[in-house]
Amino acid sequence: MPDSAQTRPHVAVCLHCGSRVPEGTASREFCCAGCEVVHGLLVTQGLTRYYQLTGGKTAPAAEPARGRGLAWLEPLVARAEAMPGALCSLELDVQGIHCAACVWLMNELFRRQPGGAGLTVDPALGKARMQWKRGAFDVGGFLRMVEGFGYLFGPSRKRPSPASLDLPIRLGICVALSMNVMLFSVSFYVGLAPEDGDVFQLFTRLSLGLSTLVVAVGGWPFFRSAWQGLRRGVPHLDLPIALGILLVFGTSLVQARGGRGDLAYFDTLNTFVTLMLVGRWLQQRVLERNRRFLLEDDGADGLFVRRQEGERLATVRVSQVAEGDLLVIAPGDLVPVEAELLDASARVSTDWMTGEPDEREVAVGEALPAGAFNAGREAVRAKARQSFQDSPLVALLRRAPEGTGRGAGHTRFWEAVSRRWVVTVLAVSALGLVLWWPSGPDKALEVAVALLVVTCPCAIGIATPLAYEWVQARLRREGFFIRSTDLLDRLPRVRQVLFDKTGTLTLGRMELVDRASLDALTEEARDVAFNLASRSNHPVSRCLSDSLSRMGARFVPEARVTEHPGQGLEWVRHGVSWRLGRADWHLVRASSSPTFVGHGHGAAQFEAGLGDSDTLRAGYTPRLEMGSEQAPSAVPFEAGLGATAPLRAGYTPRLEVPSQASATLPGSNNRTPVLPRADGTDGPRGTVLFRDGSPLASFPVREALRPDARREVLALQAEGHAVWLISGDAPARVRELAVSIGVPLERALGGLRPEDKAWAVSRLGATDSLYLGDGVNDSLAFERALCAGTPAIDRPVMPGKSDFFLVGEGLSSLREALRLSRHLRHVVRRLLVLAIGYNAVAVAVCLAGWMTPLRAAVAMPATSLATVLFTLWSLSAPRAPRGASVPLARPTEVPA
């Protein structure tokens, strides 16, 4: 157990990462499913030294991706294998590396694989370089094993930003030179004067030479950005810093050339430049770490597909797909264009496009939709019906121009601060020169230079970047990772929070409504149900399989399981027929072509109570054929925006099924709900386990809601934010979830296509909205919102378009980010007030003629230290309670 759990026994903390476990989580030992899975793997595989290396605190683990395709890997491995030499080498990007424990874990897993020669992991950049003996190492198998611990691999695209390489070098040079200049300045302060001849001249020239290097090396980043801002006609925040450096250096140069190095401000100048570089480095450090945590995204250029070219199978970029191409879609691979299925059947998941976790069957000759993933266990062949340029993915994958949909209020604020600071400093310096001119040019110049030195913008250059870095680091510990430089300036303007449904407020997976049906199973029935469910990739089957596995169910490798398309799975064991599938299986004519899926192989295709049927069940959602005579061209919907807007083709209406009395399933307790079937007879609901045709237990499921979703939604509304639920799911299901978590019905919009979501964001107010979504169908809405983020970092595109991303299953970090951003704004403004007060006193001292180089050398670092301490004290105040007063009732059931 992490140390944090021992020091705070009254707080439930995760056994894996040490994070706080969100209230309402089923397990009080883990904060999320990812941590639970990874912890189990580390324990069972004898890798618990990982926890000793983390020191009891690490980032929450991402839930391992299921069936992720590796089409991109094949050409890279082939190229590596084709290179001469006994060893093959390959460099890849890694997502999720954050500490030395990750490096140890990957090296330990690599060491256990035969044929490996060496693995080098760079946690700072998020890269791994592996070497292996030609033909003796399974690269794909190793990557899948490591990805089981929550990491993700991708092609090598990460490159260190120029600033991340440049700033540390400049900072190191300036620190070394500044320390030497300070030593020379001490000699002037203790009595070294022009009368000392050659020694005085040597120290003056050394101070001048080293200071010139400091200005050239350390001042260049500020000079460059200030000049670029002036060329665009926009005063940059670096303008007062650059101007201060130049003016102080110029006046000190004049004093040194006049033989009065003791009156120059070289040590103060060097300290100022070094502190400004420290501030700039702090400003970029956390953002750079957050960006490197993820895989780099190249949009469509980063997606690959297998194309059949005669007797050859080539892996190409999706942008190269043309109409008529023969595509081979492996399990977990993307269908980049609409394509005609050439094989007998396929199971596809469209959650990336629709945001919903549903999977469906596609028969031979039917269309595989663009953006779907192969959710089966076998590769399928398809013929492209369009080129990629005509695919709907093109619009969703495109990169929006920088700044699209982003407000500029924060920019205008800092522009005004920069402009007024520069004008005020120059005016005050000129005033001092004029006032002291009657006392002689030398005295007047000394006063003017002192004014330029003491009015340095330390609050802007070091205290403010420190405040931003502190908040970013704190949010990172909470699971909120910032990618955009100006996000913390935009968050205080948020007044409306827009949530997608599936994968955002829900977890994108199913959960059992009631575990009583599992607890009531005998050991034999539990093992049978597990062996049936584990041979299917359907979301309901995965839910059952995971739950039964945690209960200790045993897997039988030699089980001969038969799949009945559209019905479920069957296993005849010791003369007893066991079935797992639809509740009305015995009412529907048996399929004439069952499929054998024994020994855990094959494509176990069944609907598990969610599939098509000739009878209408509760929750069935028919689709209007928009080309039929009865279908309207547009279906109106109340968007809650003050007007009725039309929805285009693709709208999915909801048929309301009258509620009827429920019944009790034999063999289960009276809490297991059962809905009537369409034929008027009572029967079990959901997926049912049959024994010789008699229902033994039913397993109703629902979409798993994030444990703190209701509390956080209510807390956001209590704090004055308007919360909206915007989804492509059926309107009735969206309204059910809205009632469950406390969102007003007029703010729950369902049945929206990607362009409808973008329109809704624009209509609601793009200048004060925050959008949280997980699918590529949210891509257009991302571009319109003031701020956009995603909790889905295991799929391409969306993390690269987001301003921030969330790690873990809770939503509390989102509200914490909004709160801290407002607090940060108040702290920064107090810093500006403090800086103005200090400068007012310093200006008065200078105008009185009391400021000397020694006093300036003491005052400048002292005030910088004071502003830093004030910043840390202001931001270290006790955090606000996490909505403890908001009741955390269990949400009502939202049917899957």
Side-chain angles (χ1 to χ4, degrees):
M1 177 182 294
D3 295 340
S4 56
Q6 300 171 1
T7 57
R8 295 187 299 164
H10 60 287
V11 178
V13 295
C14 180
L15 290 180
H16 175 71
C17 67
S19 302
R20 184 181 60 88
V21 177
E23 297 179 26
T25 305
S27 170
R28 298 304 294 163
E29 295 182 335
F30 300 98
C31 66
C32 60
C35 284
E36 184 174 3
V37 171
V38 173
H39 176 80
L41 288 173
L42 292 172
V43 172
T44 56
Q45 297 189 26
L47 298 168
T48 52
R49 186 167 182 262
Y50 174 90
Y51 294 114
Q52 299 175 10
L53 296 174
T54 62
K57 190 69 177 178
T58 184
E63 188 172 1
R66 294 178 181 266
R68 181 171 177 261
L70 295 177
W72 55 269
L73 180 64
E74 294 175 2
L76 300 180
V77 173
R79 191 179 306 125
E81 294 273 0
M83 297 297 290
L87 295 179
C88 303
S89 177
L90 180 62
E91 183 178 78
L92 299 174
D93 287 349
V94 190
Q95 174 173 302
I97 296 181
H98 47 79
C99 63
C102 298
V103 178
W104 173 84
L105 177 61
M106 290 186 184
N107 275 279
E108 182 65 19
L109 293 174
F110 186 84
R111 186 183 63 81
R112 298 181 179 186
Q113 300 304 302
L119 177 69
T120 303
V121 181
D122 181 359
L125 196 53
K127 283 186 173 294
R129 173 174 287 276
M130 64 184 73
Q131 290 183 312
W132 67 92
K133 300 174 184 177
R134 188 182 311 279
F137 184 75
D138 182 7
V139 179
F142 170 70
L143 297 192
R144 288 190 178 90
M145 180 174 58
V146 177
E147 288 188 349
F149 290 85
Y151 304 99
L152 290 179
F153 288 89
S156 180
R157 300 193 192 102
K158 293 182 184 179
R159 298 290 182 271
S161 66
S164 65
L165 296 176
D166 186 56
L167 278 178
I169 296 175
R170 292 181 183 273
L171 180 58
I173 293 174
C174 289
V175 168
L177 296 179
S178 297
M179 294 177 67
N180 285 278
V181 172
M182 290 178 184
L183 291 175
F184 298 142
S185 298
V186 168
S187 62
F188 295 135
Y189 298 147
V190 297
L192 186 64
E195 292 78 15
D196 294 314
D198 293 341
V199 175
F200 180 87
Q201 294 297 326
L202 176 63
F203 278 29
T204 298
R205 290 169 183 170
L206 287 174
S207 297
L208 175 59
L210 295 179
S211 298
T212 302
L213 287 175
V214 168
V215 170
V217 173
W220 172 247
F222 306 100
F223 300 151
R224 180 179 53 200
S225 57
W227 174 246
Q228 290 173 348
L230 289 175
R231 290 183 60 185
R232 294 193 302 264
V234 179
H236 193 273
L237 188 61
D238 287 339
L239 181 59
I241 297 176
L243 189 62
I245 293 174
L246 288 177
L247 290 176
V248 174
F249 177 72
T251 52
S252 297
L253 178 62
V254 171
Q255 293 284 9
R257 289 181 62 85
R260 295 305 308 268
D262 55 328
L263 299 180
Y265 292 83
F266 288 130
D267 56 339
T268 304
L269 171 66
N270 282 261
T271 302
F272 175 65
V273 172
T274 302
L275 289 177
M276 294 305 101
L277 280 177
V278 170
R280 182 57 48 87
W281 175 72
L282 288 174
Q283 201 170 16
Q284 295 184 355
R285 187 173 67 101
V286 175
L287 289 177
E288 193 73 18
R289 286 179 61 196
N290 291 347
R291 292 183 183 127
R292 291 175 180 174
F293 185 86
L294 299 175
L295 295 177
E296 283 292 326
D297 175 54
D298 283 351
D301 290 337
L303 301 176
F304 294 84
V305 67
R306 296 174 178 89
R307 182 172 64 189
Q308 185 177 339
E309 300 175 353
E311 297 182 352
R312 180 172 167 268
L313 194 63
T315 301
V316 299
R317 298 184 187 275
V318 296
S319 57
Q320 299 176 248
V321 174
E323 183 178 357
D325 282 354
L326 295 179
L327 308 178
V328 177
I329 312 298
D333 279 358
L334 173 72
V335 182
V337 298
E338 182 178 305
E340 177 185 345
L341 181 64
L342 301 180
D343 290 335
S345 65
R347 173 174 291 279
V348 296
S349 169
T350 57
D351 61 335
W352 198 46
M353 291 290 291
T354 65
E356 306 309 315
D358 298 332
E359 296 178 359
R360 62 186 179 91
E361 291 281 352
V362 178
V364 61
E366 294 183 347
L368 295 173
F373 283 84
N374 182 358
R377 299 188 179 184
E378 294 178 346
V380 296
R381 296 179 303 119
K383 183 177 181 180
R385 291 181 174 179
Q386 59 186 175
S387 67
F388 182 74
Q389 285 67 32
D390 298 323
S391 170
L393 286 180
V394 173
L396 300 177
L397 296 179
R398 74 171 187 266
R399 285 281 190 174
E402 191 69 23
T404 299
R406 308 299 190 234
H410 63 283
T411 305
R412 290 193 295 269
F413 171 76
W414 287 114
E415 287 174 3
V417 169
S418 300
R419 186 183 301 111
R420 292 171 183 172
W421 195 288
V422 170
V423 171
T424 302
V425 167
L426 292 178
V428 169
S429 182
L431 177 63
L433 184 67
V434 171
L435 290 177
W436 282 90
W437 190 261
S439 301
D442 291 340
K443 184 62 177 177
L445 183 61
E446 180 183 339
V447 172
V449 171
L451 285 168
L452 292 174
V453 172
V454 299
T455 53
C456 66
C458 295
I460 297 176
I462 186 168
T464 299
L466 175 64
Y468 278 75
E469 193 272 348
W470 192 93
V471 170
Q472 290 165 0
R474 177 163 164 178
L475 289 176
R476 182 184 170 97
R477 292 192 297 271
E478 298 283 341
F480 188 98
F481 289 68
I482 296 175
R483 297 186 69 254
S484 296
T485 307
D486 59 348
L487 177 64
L488 289 174
D489 293 311
R490 283 184 268 137
L491 284 178
R493 299 173 56 201
V494 170
R495 296 295 178 269
Q496 303 188 85
V497 181
L498 287 63
F499 289 104
D500 179 38
K501 175 178 166 284
T502 305
T504 303
L505 286 174
T506 68
L507 292 168
R509 63 174 183 264
M510 303 298 179
E511 68 177 2
L512 290 169
V513 174
D514 191 348
R515 295 183 56 88
S517 54
L518 285 183
D519 296 334
L521 291 175
T522 64
E523 183 177 349
E524 179 190 22
R526 184 167 60 241
D527 291 344
V528 169
F530 175 67
N531 279 276
L532 290 168
S534 61
R535 285 168 168 82
S536 169
N537 202 34
H538 191 280
V540 177
S541 296
R542 291 199 297 263
C543 170
L544 284 175
S545 177
D546 292 343
S547 299
L548 290 165
S549 177
R550 285 193 291 268
M551 296 178 68
R554 294 168 295 182
F555 182 72
V556 181
E558 62 274 9
R560 299 179 62 85
V561 177
T562 304
E563 182 261 331
H564 296 268
Q567 305 303 317
L569 297 166
E570 182 178 15
W571 180 19
V572 178
R573 181 174 182 265
H574 304 318
V576 178
S577 173
W578 295 87
R579 289 181 173 183
L580 183 68
R582 283 171 37 167
D584 59 353
W585 189 344
H586 64 287
L587 298 179
V588 181
R589 186 174 55 194
S591 170
S592 59
S593 57
T595 304
F596 172 68
V597 291
H599 303 283
H601 301 292
Q605 314 289 2
F606 81 108
E607 289 300 324
L610 303 175
D612 297 332
S613 173
D614 295 334
T615 59
L616 180 65
R617 298 184 307 278
Y620 172 72
T621 305
R623 185 115 181 137
L624 285 183
E625 296 296 335
M626 303 313 295
S628 65
E629 295 180 359
Q630 294 81 6
S633 59
V635 181
F637 78 108
E638 288 296 332
L641 310 177
T644 299
L647 272 187
R648 291 169 289 283
Y651 172 74
T652 305
R654 179 79 169 179
L655 288 188
E656 300 296 339
V657 180
S659 61
Q660 302 182 40
S662 62
T664 302
L665 179 69
S668 66
N669 66 30
N670 57 10
R671 292 183 297 167
T672 304
V674 180
L675 292 185
R677 295 196 302 264
D679 60 2
T681 62
D682 289 340
R685 176 171 63 109
T687 300
V688 177
L689 178 65
F690 295 92
R691 188 179 191 274
D692 280 337
S694 298
L696 187 66
S698 68
F699 309 106
V701 296
R702 63 185 169 202
E703 295 180 61
L705 195 65
R706 292 188 182 271
D708 58 354
R710 175 179 171 83
R711 183 183 70 245
E712 292 304 316
V713 166
L714 294 177
L716 284 170
Q717 294 178 129
E719 293 174 1
H721 295 93
V723 177
W724 292 76
L725 183 55
I726 297 181
S727 175
D729 200 2
R733 294 175 67 179
V734 175
R735 289 195 296 270
E736 290 171 7
L737 178 60
V739 172
S740 175
I741 62 176
V743 174
L745 287 179
E746 62 271 15
R747 294 179 182 167
L749 312 181
L752 303 187
R753 298 185 351 173
E755 54 268 33
D756 299 320
K757 290 186 175 185
W759 177 86
V761 172
S762 298
R763 188 69 181 272
L764 288 171
T767 59
D768 64 354
S769 59
L770 182 149
Y771 191 96
L772 192 68
D774 71 307
V776 74
N777 62 326
D778 299 309
S779 177
L780 300 180
F782 266 41
E783 299 173 5
R784 304 289 181 87
L786 174 67
C787 312
T790 181
I793 60 174
D794 59 338
R795 287 287 178 89
V797 179
M798 298 311 293
K801 285 192 169 188
S802 64
D803 297 309
F804 64 92
F805 60 93
L806 306 180
V807 175
E809 292 186 356
L811 292 173
S812 61
S813 61
L814 176 61
R815 187 161 55 92
E816 181 74 358
L818 292 169
R819 186 188 72 82
L820 281 179
S821 69
R822 295 190 297 269
H823 185 49
L824 175 64
R825 181 178 60 181
H826 296 323
V827 170
V828 169
R829 292 183 176 179
R830 286 200 295 265
L831 280 173
L832 292 177
V833 171
L834 183 66
I836 291 173
Y838 153 74
N839 280 287
V841 174
V843 165
V845 172
C846 289
L847 291 177
W850 298 339
M851 186 62 67
T852 65
L854 176 59
R855 291 169 182 168
V858 173
M860 201 275 290
T863 54
S864 298
L865 179 61
T867 55
V868 167
L869 293 176
F870 175 79
T871 301
L872 294 176
W873 174 80
S874 299
L875 292 173
S876 298
R879 68 178 64 188
R882 294 175 176 267
S885 61
V886 179
L888 184 61
R890 180 63 184 172
T892 57
E893 178 184 350
V894 181

